[in-house]
Amino acid sequence: MNSLRALGNVYNRSYNKRPITTLCITNGILGALSDGLAQAITYHDTHARQLPEQLQQHKEQWPEQPAYDPKRTLRFALYNFCVAPLVGGWYMVLDRYFPMPAVGKPGRDITTLKRMITDQTLFAPTSLAMFFTTMALIESGSWQGVREKFRDAYQPALIANYTVWPAVQLVNFKLMPLQYRLPFVSSLGILWNAYLSWINHASTEEEKVIEEQPQHKQLA
C-alpha cells in the first residue's frame, strides 16, 4: 500500500509539472504491457475461437508466431504515447461541457451519464477508426490495407467496445479526478488493448494469406 501511495505521489508531482508528458509516458508504458499480454496469447489454440469468423477462416495457414516481436510492441507503445494528449484533451472537453456538481449536490448521476453517452457516441467509434487506420498504414503503407482492416476488424471491435466500456466510463467519470482518468482507463484497459492488438494482428495475418492465394494459384 505504501508503494502504491508513493507511486501516486510521484505521478501527481510529475502531472502537476508536465501533464502532457506524464500522460504520454504513462499511456505508452501501459500500451507496451498490453501488447506483451496479447503476444502471450497463442493464436492457434482455443483462444482463436474468440476471434470473429472472418478473421479465422485461414488461421491454419498463418505463420508460426515468434516468441516475441519487439517491433510490434514498439508500434503499439508509440501509438498509445502519441494519442495520450488527444484522449486527455477529450476528457477536459467533457469536464468543460458537463461540469460535475459538488459532492452531495444533486445531478451527479445525470452528469456522469451525459459524459458516458457523449464519450461512447462520439469518441469511442472515432478512436477505434483512428487506431485501425494508423495500424493499417504502418503495416501495409496503403489505403487498401485500411479498407481491409475496416472490413475485417472494425465492426467486431466496436461491438466489443460497447460490451465493456460504458460501465467502465461511468465509474471513471464519476469517481476519478481528471489527472487519473487516462491512467485509470489505460490500466483497466490493458486487457482491452491486448484484445485490440490481438484482433489487429489477426486481421493482418488473414489478409496476408488471402493476398498470397492468387499467387499460389498462378504458380500452380
Side-chain angles (χ1 to χ4, degrees), residues 10-203:
V10 170
Y11 177 84
N12 281 332
R13 287 196 298 269
S14 178
Y15 183 88
N16 290 334
K17 292 180 180 179
R18 297 173 293 273
I20 299 300
T21 302
T22 302
L23 288 177
C24 289
I25 293 174
T26 303
N27 215 43
I29 292 172
L30 293 172
L33 291 174
S34 300
D35 184 73
L37 177 62
Q39 291 199 46
I41 299 173
T42 303
Y43 296 99
H44 303 286
D45 64 12
T46 55
H47 292 289
R49 290 178 300 179
Q50 301 173 22
L51 287 169
E53 281 294 326
Q54 67 266 30
L55 294 184
Q56 53 177 321
Q57 293 177 6
H58 307 89
K59 64 178 182 294
E60 70 281 354
Q61 299 179 43
W62 296 359
E64 290 296 325
Q65 299 301 310
Y68 177 68
D69 183 358
K71 292 182 179 179
R72 177 177 149 186
T73 297
L74 180 61
R75 287 197 301 268
F76 209 77
L78 285 176
Y79 176 82
N80 278 270
F81 180 94
C82 292
V83 300
L86 177 63
V87 182
W90 170 248
Y91 288 153
M92 293 178 186
V93 169
L94 291 177
D95 266 19
R96 186 181 308 122
Y97 283 95
F98 305 108
M100 182 66 72
V103 176
K105 296 288 185 68
R108 289 179 63 85
D109 290 341
I110 294 298
T111 299
T112 301
L113 190 61
K114 288 179 179 178
R115 288 180 177 183
M116 184 276 289
I117 292 174
T118 304
D119 177 74
Q120 291 299 297
T121 301
L122 299 180
F123 194 75
T126 303
S127 63
L128 280 175
M130 184 169 60
F131 170 77
F132 285 119
T133 299
T134 302
M135 289 299 166
L137 289 175
I138 292 174
E139 293 166 359
S140 69
S142 70
W143 288 104
Q144 177 62 28
V146 175
R147 288 191 290 271
E148 292 168 352
K149 194 76 72 176
F150 270 76
R151 182 192 65 206
D152 296 337
Y154 181 78
Q155 183 177 355
L158 186 62
I159 292 172
N161 168 88
Y162 287 133
T163 67
V164 174
W165 284 106
V168 172
Q169 291 292 43
L170 282 173
V171 175
N172 190 31
F173 291 135
K174 185 172 183 178
L175 301 179
M176 290 294 120
L178 180 60
Q179 69 268 29
Y180 287 120
R181 285 181 196 154
L182 181 55
F184 174 77
V185 297
S186 295
S187 297
L188 293 183
I190 286 178
L191 290 175
W192 169 251
N193 285 330
Y195 168 77
L196 286 182
S197 178
W198 184 29
I199 195 172
N200 178 70
H201 180 76
S203 173

